[in-house]
Amino acid sequence: MVNETEARAAWEGHNEADTIQLAQQLAAWVQPGTVLALDGDLGAGKTRFSQAFAAALGVPGIVNSPTFTIIKEYEGQQMPFYHMDVYRLSVDEADDLGLDEYFFGEGVTIVEWASLIEELLPPERLHVRLTHLGGESRRYELRGVGERCAAFVRELAAMHGEDVGEERQ
């Protein structure tokens, strides 16, 4: 078994600006091949988060949910942005799409409903769970898997004054 490091952190945002700020912080950190595994109930703000993230990458125009197209590709100023929604797919169907070409490609990938295909995700990834708390408030739970993503979660937690849960396996 590969040694795997994980770090977890959580905090609350009180308005849409907080969601946009988190998306901007993540966009400033990513590099080609970064995968963000995005989860949350309907209405939690996954698509709004993805739009803010894309804008921070310099993606022009409208970014909307790829619910029916499954994968949308955008050209950002910094790098390509791949936006996926796997809600309607089985693991086998998702596996047939050749997701590794995106995950290990030249761009950054956000996978909405990522927990549905977790076994297909790369070993280094950042999980972001959004929970709607009422009004504009959201809870952000981050789990960095792998050294680079775990380090980033620790950094973000320090910025937000939060404790970090860590695991080594």
Side-chain angles (χ1 to χ4, degrees), residues 4-93:
E4 186 173 78
T5 299
E6 287 191 16
R8 297 172 185 258
W11 63 90
E12 291 181 13
H14 303 290
N15 52 45
E16 184 179 359
D18 290 339
T19 299
I20 292 168
Q21 180 184 21
L22 175 60
Q24 290 171 337
Q25 288 172 321
L26 292 175
W29 163 77
V30 298
Q31 60 190 29
T34 300
V35 174
L36 301 178
L38 194 57
D39 280 292
D41 292 334
L42 289 172
K46 295 180 299 297
T47 298
R48 182 63 189 109
F49 174 89
S50 298
Q51 290 168 335
F53 182 87
L57 286 178
V59 172
I62 296 171
V63 171
N64 50 30
S65 179
T67 302
F68 297 103
T69 57
I70 302 170
I71 301 171
K72 289 189 176 182
E73 299 180 24
Y74 300 92
E75 196 57 49
Q77 291 175 353
Q78 300 173 19
M79 68 188 85
F81 171 54
Y82 310 125
H83 189 196
M84 303 177 182
D85 184 326
V86 298
Y87 182 74
R88 290 175 167 71
L89 296 179
S90 69
V91 172
D92 289 338
E93 290 169 327

Side-chain angles (χ1 to χ4, degrees), residues 4 29 33-35 121-126 145-150:
E4 186 173 78
W29 163 77
T34 300
V35 174
L121 298 174
E124 177 92 22
R125 62 195 181 273
L126 180 64
V145 179
E147 288 294 336
R148 183 172 176 273
C149 292

